[in-house]
Amino acid sequence: MDEERRIVPFECRSCWHVWEEEYLVRHVDDHHGNEANVWLHNGLPVPPPSPGAICPRCRRQDSTTFPEGYLSRHPELIPPEKPAAPDPTPLLSPVPRPLYWQPDTR
């Protein structure tokens, strides 16, 4: 019995979330010349991955798969782990203050 690890990328067509799931594929034969593949996800037998997987973000069943290794060649599709830090530079208006402007002295 041979085993191979496969990472399958998915994209949700509803919220555009991109994620990967890892599978273990076992190649077995029944000693009568018949071969089969058993797909395991987290140690449990599952059907082979296909479009229609449930999105972990929005829970909709409207996803598609990419070819294996697609995200490693297109890392721009993988969302960042954390949002970017805000820019600490203060915002300044490009509009000049009026000549009669006086600061509030109350």
Side-chain angles (χ1 to χ4, degrees):
M1 170 173 48
D2 294 328
E3 292 182 344
E4 68 176 295
R5 183 177 149 258
R6 288 196 189 168
I7 297 176
V8 180
F10 292 90
E11 179 182 48
C12 179
R13 293 181 185 171
S14 179
C15 69
W16 303 108
H17 177 62
V18 175
W19 76 99
E20 293 180 325
E21 292 187 10
E22 183 178 337
Y23 294 89
L24 181 67
V25 182
R26 289 187 181 155
H27 307 283
V28 295
D29 72 56
D30 64 0
H31 303 293
H32 296 283
N34 301 314
E35 296 180 3
N37 293 329
V38 178
W39 289 75
L40 302 169
H41 183 62
N42 294 330
L44 299 172
V46 294
S50 62
I54 296 173
C55 174
R57 179 182 285 167
C58 70
R59 310 304 296 166
R60 297 220 23 207
Q61 192 174 358
D62 188 19
S63 64
T64 187
T65 59
F66 294 115
E68 190 172 343
Y70 184 83
L71 291 180
S72 64
R73 293 186 305 274
H74 297 279
E76 71 277 5
L77 296 176
I78 300 172
E81 294 292 324
K82 297 188 272 185
D87 186 3
T89 308
L91 297 176
L92 300 174
S93 174
V95 179
R97 291 183 176 157
L99 294 175
Y100 55 85
W101 179 81
Q102 301 227 348
D104 191 12
T105 57
R106 289 185 229 172

